[in-house]
Structures are given as C-alpha cells and as structure tokens.
Amino acid sequence: MEYIKRYYNENGPFDGIIAFSQGGFMARTLLKATECGFPDLQITPKFCMLVGSATPIKHMFKNKNDCDYPCPIMYIYGENDPIIKPHDPAICKRSDSTVIWHKKGHVIPKLTGDHMETFINFYSRFYEEKFGQPMVFEHTFDEDFKKEYIAISANAVKLKQILHKL
C-alpha cells in the first residue's frame, strides 16, 4: 500500500481506475482505504471499471455498507467465469453501478452491440465532464494493426499519446 500511495501522490490524481480480476480486489480496497485500515490513502477517482473482479473480504470493512463506493462503478462479469460466481454480492443496487454480463469466462471481453452501448453510456458521463464536449465516434483504419475500429475522434491523438507512454 505504501507503493500505491507514493505512486498516486507523485503521478495522480487519476480520472478513473480500471482493474481486472485480483486488481479489482485492490481497486475496491483503495476505494474503501479508510475502512480497510489505510486512513492516509485518499484516492478519489471519478469512476471505476472492474472486470472479472474478486470480491473483498467482508471482515475488512468496518460498516455494513461495503458496496457503497465513493464513485460510479461498472462491473463486467462473464456468465461462464469459473472464478467469479454470478451471485457476487459486490454488485450492489445501493450504489451508482452499471453491470455488463458477457457470455465468456474470466476474460476481458470484446464489447459489441448492447454491451458497447452500455459501456459508452457509462464512460461518456466522465468524458463530457472532463473535455467539455460529448464523445464523437468515427470509423478508423489502424495501419499498424491493419484493422478497422471505432475511435473517439475528439482528443484521440492525445489519448493515443497517453496510452503509448504506458
């Protein structure tokens, strides 16, 4: 936790947290840091996306509202996930949450159709707040990968530069 606190203080704040599997356990712990015994770790993202995310251990939380997180959360789970079961109690109706159930297992899925629309509706709230304009999509052909895809046209160059640095 000391490393995360130092990294966040030196490089943050960040707009959101995106986590997969055990990383989701850590993300949920970070969102509830004070209750988990880390009162000096204050991470306040605007959103969180958890894919195939493990559920925190209930005794870690001091109060019963273990799923009342300080930001909207998107949960993406696989119907055939052998690790995370469909009755996952972390999906709470009390918090601002969006849930996508895909047909695969414990993977980061390719989102299409209604799932992509749900993702766009969730993420566009934060995009518009940050950039002051709605997301605009365009069909693009990536010469490097020789594939066509849909890209966010506004700020797409800046986003590509940021991702390249990672």
Side-chain angles (χ1 to χ4, degrees), residues 19-31 36 50 52-58 60-61 69:
F20 174 70
S21 194
Q22 290 181 338
F25 177 91
M26 178 59 76
R28 291 178 193 201
T29 302
L30 292 173
L31 292 175
C36 293
L50 304 174
S53 170
T55 305
I57 301 164
K58 293 210 177 271
M60 291 176 66
F61 300 123
Y69 293 105

Side-chain angles (χ1 to χ4, degrees), residues 3 7 19 28 31 36 42 54-55 69 71 73 77 79 85 99 104 116-117 122 130 133 135-136 145 149:
Y3 172 79
Y7 188 89
R28 291 178 193 201
L31 292 175
C36 293
Q42 299 298 317
T55 305
Y69 293 105
C71 65
I73 296 181
Y77 287 116
E79 292 176 9
K85 303 297 177 208
V99 181
K104 298 195 183 265
M116 178 56 90
E117 186 175 334
F122 178 83
K130 180 161 183 86
Q133 60 188 15
M135 289 193 310
V136 177
F145 295 102
Y149 62 96

